[in-house]
Amino acid sequence: PPPPPPPPSAPPQVQLPVSLDLPLFPSIMMQPVQHPALPPQLALQLPQMDALSADLTQLCQQQLGLDPNFLRHSQFKRPRTRITDDQLKILRAYFDINNSPSEEQIQEMAEKSGLSQKVIKHWFRNTLFKERQ
């Protein structure tokens, strides 16, 4: 009979770049969050992302190689904007005349369409990219 297979070797030890004993969100950042529909005893301790401490910023940059803004933006992503047919007509009319509008034109489109300037800028950038392909 063939010899028995060798016993499985132990999995390799992975060294993390940061101690797991460090709190990622220092207690100074932890503040009770109360939703108006919930009783006060159910207030949650959640980190205040606007108050990223210098220590956490440094930890992100040096030890984890992360941009500290990543923590802010990845957890509070803006919902996708649905552009209606009427809004699309406004954007398309401007795009057909000039695919690189000025700030004044963007402001004008925002007022007419009810979309934010940021959404309009993204729409123009994405539409121009699609047209060039």
Side-chain angles (χ1 to χ4, degrees):
S9 61
Q13 294 293 322
V14 177
Q15 180 64 37
L16 296 176
V18 63
S19 167
L20 294 178
D21 297 334
L22 287 176
L24 279 182
F25 299 107
S27 60
I28 195 164
M29 292 174 53
M30 303 297 281
Q31 299 175 1
V33 176
Q34 176 62 43
H35 188 277
L38 296 175
Q41 61 269 28
L42 293 179
L44 300 174
Q45 292 286 329
L46 295 176
Q48 297 297 313
M49 297 310 288
D50 290 337
L52 277 179
S53 70
D55 292 339
L56 182 57
T57 300
Q58 188 176 7
L59 173 75
C60 289
Q61 289 173 330
Q62 292 177 348
Q63 295 185 4
L64 300 177
L66 291 177
D67 177 359
N69 291 322
F70 170 79
L71 290 174
R72 283 194 192 106
H73 300 301
S74 65
Q75 294 180 5
F76 303 104
K77 195 172 178 182
R78 178 181 60 79
R80 184 181 180 102
T81 301
R82 303 272 316 178
I83 297 177
T84 66
D85 289 342
D86 291 336
Q87 291 169 329
L88 188 58
K89 285 177 189 172
I90 293 167
L91 297 175
R92 184 50 79 174
Y94 276 87
F95 186 84
D96 290 341
I97 296 168
N98 178 13
N99 61 22
S100 184
S102 66
E103 289 294 324
E104 293 80 25
Q105 290 171 319
I106 292 171
Q107 176 64 36
E108 193 176 309
M109 284 183 274
E111 290 168 3
K112 286 182 179 181
S113 67
L115 295 169
S116 72
Q117 290 186 26
K118 183 176 180 180
V119 168
I120 292 171
K121 288 177 184 179
H122 281 251
W123 184 88
F124 268 81
R125 186 186 64 207
N126 292 340
T127 305
L128 184 60
F129 178 77
K130 284 186 240 176
E131 295 258 328
R132 286 181 175 165
Q133 280 189 333

